[in-house]
Amino acid sequence: MSAVSIIMPTAEVAEDIRRELTKKHDLSELQRMWSVRLPQLREDFLRGWVTNRYADWELRRHSAELRMELSEHATYAVAVCVIDPLSEDETRFAAADLPLLQFSLESIAKEALPPEEATVFNDANGSLVLLFVNREEESVSDLTNRVNVRLTRLLNVVKECLKLTASAGLGSAGDFASVPRSYQQACQALQERAVYGNGIAIPYPETSRNGGAILLDTDFERQLEIAVHTGEREKTDAVIDGYVEKAYASADSSELIYEHLLYLSGVFTRMIQTQGWSMQRVLNGDYRHFIALDTLVSKDQIVQWAKRVNLNIAAYTANERQRSSHKLVKRIIETVDRQLEGDLTLHTLAERMYVNPSYLSRLFKRETGEAYSAYVLARRMEKAKQLLLADAKVYDASAAVGYQDISYFAKVFRKYWGVAPSELRK
């Protein structure tokens, strides 16, 4: 009995120890999982904060749960930073590499800015967000100046490391509750790249600007259509450059730039649709910008896009003209071969086909390499020869190829073949 009584308590203790160890192991695993998930949870919280997803009490509770020291009495400023659109002459990277480049930007920012100076994370669009907080006794103006200096240095480091430019928009500084407003201002400031260019930090303009209406420019539209129609690329580029320079000289905000951009896209749309062509077929890859003009964020990008669109329209116009030319020349040849006995003068044929005689003459020469009159003569003389070799009478052969005057036919035939028509009869 004594042996059993000793064994039983020992087994119970062992079971208690096992349960305790299991509990500690489970707690340790939970803590490990929490530590792994914590950075992602914090980033999700920050995204929610800047997009105004939480009420004040939720911000306090979530920040405490995530062990984030966020002071309600501090002053905050938000900056948004992105890699600028790649230029057309960029050969190292393509548009598909932008997410990777944006990740590189994030890595550079985390190295360049210590955690106590700025919190670095990505928003839902993949843009880099930098949340700055003031130091002790630092004024709002001092915070703003410090942020401007840090952003400028960051953009310079990006340029040195990646050999590409990045731009940043900076919202105004404010208290804990104004962070979402500062974030929205930073995003809007970033759009001002359309005015100020790439590779710089742009503060949010505190004063509102009222722009005038974008007026119809019939002279510009006429010059552009003529240049595209004639295929003069240098002239087309000059017209585009002139319009964009004029737009930038009169616009002091991205809103007015995009007004000009909307007008420009409307001009292109009319040029294409009045011909009955498909926008997507004419524009190819540039069609996407027509349904998302806000993807054009700089002067250079707008100019390059406009010139590409013009090239697409000009190339499609030339191709359609070529196709029409082939069809018209084919129709001319078929008419001549079918009606050698009829009136085949250039004016008569042009009138039937509703085209200008001079245009018809130039078109035929360009497409076939010989003059229209020479082609008609060759076809008539070949047909007359075949008829005469088949023992047709001279006057029948003459009439069959459109000559009513037999003597004139004989003269033309001899000059062409070197023998009289009668000599070919069997």
Side-chain angles (χ1 to χ4, degrees), residues 131-242:
L131 178 62
F132 292 88
V133 62
N134 71 319
R135 297 167 177 166
E136 189 176 355
E137 304 299 327
E138 186 177 39
S139 67
V140 171
S141 61
D142 288 340
L143 170 62
T144 302
N145 290 335
R146 176 165 61 88
V147 172
N148 271 307
V149 171
R150 296 295 183 270
L151 289 177
T152 301
R153 288 179 182 173
L154 173 61
L155 299 182
N156 287 336
V157 172
V158 171
K159 191 172 184 179
E160 290 176 7
C161 293
L162 301 180
K163 301 298 184 288
L164 296 171
T165 63
S167 296
L170 173 61
S172 57
D175 59 16
F176 188 82
S178 67
V179 166
R181 177 174 59 85
S182 182
Y183 168 73
Q184 289 296 329
Q185 290 176 342
C187 292
Q188 293 174 29
L190 195 57
Q191 293 299 316
E192 297 299 313
R193 282 182 295 171
V195 178
Y196 300 110
N198 295 332
I200 58 174
I202 307 170
Y204 176 74
E206 294 292 347
T207 57
S208 61
R209 294 170 293 192
N210 298 317
I214 304 301
L215 302 177
L216 184 69
D217 192 338
T218 54
D219 186 54
F220 160 71
E221 293 188 28
R222 180 181 56 80
Q223 290 181 30
L224 185 62
E225 289 192 34
I226 291 174
V228 171
H229 181 76
T230 57
E232 299 177 72
R233 180 173 179 178
E234 289 186 2
K235 185 174 181 180
T236 303
D237 288 351
V239 172
I240 289 294
D241 287 333

Side-chain angles (χ1 to χ4, degrees), residues 16-182:
D16 289 342
I17 292 173
R18 186 187 66 79
R19 283 197 295 266
E20 189 67 27
L21 288 173
T22 301
K23 187 185 299 182
K24 286 183 178 180
H25 176 270
D26 290 344
L27 181 60
S28 175
E29 179 63 18
L30 286 173
Q31 289 175 337
R32 187 191 68 80
M33 292 175 64
W34 171 256
S35 298
V36 170
R37 287 274 295 154
L38 189 58
Q40 184 60 52
L41 292 171
R42 285 177 172 173
E43 188 154 319
D44 290 342
F45 166 73
L46 290 167
R47 289 196 192 104
W49 185 14
V50 298
T51 54
N52 207 21
R53 192 189 306 165
Y54 304 121
D56 288 349
W57 67 269
E58 291 178 303
L59 289 172
R60 298 186 191 96
R61 190 189 74 182
H62 290 322
S63 61
E65 291 173 345
L66 297 171
R67 303 170 191 170
M68 299 178 69
E69 296 180 5
L70 302 178
S71 173
E72 294 184 45
H73 306 293
T75 302
Y76 297 88
V78 179
V80 177
C81 189
V82 295
I83 295 291
D84 290 320
L86 303 176
S87 63
E88 289 191 340
D89 55 2
E90 173 60 54
T91 56
R92 298 171 302 143
F93 304 105
D97 298 318
L98 282 175
L100 176 61
L101 294 171
Q102 197 67 25
F103 174 77
S104 300
L105 172 62
E106 179 185 2
S107 301
I108 293 171
K110 287 181 176 178
E111 288 186 12
L113 298 168
E116 64 272 14
E117 184 158 17
T119 303
V120 180
F121 61 98
N122 288 312
D123 65 11
N125 299 318
S127 300
L128 185 67
V129 181
L130 308 173
L131 178 62
F132 292 88
V133 62
N134 71 319
R135 297 167 177 166
E136 189 176 355
E137 304 299 327
E138 186 177 39
S139 67
V140 171
S141 61
D142 288 340
L143 170 62
T144 302
N145 290 335
R146 176 165 61 88
V147 172
N148 271 307
V149 171
R150 296 295 183 270
L151 289 177
T152 301
R153 288 179 182 173
L154 173 61
L155 299 182
N156 287 336
V157 172
V158 171
K159 191 172 184 179
E160 290 176 7
C161 293
L162 301 180
K163 301 298 184 288
L164 296 171
T165 63
S167 296
L170 173 61
S172 57
D175 59 16
F176 188 82
S178 67
V179 166
R181 177 174 59 85
S182 182

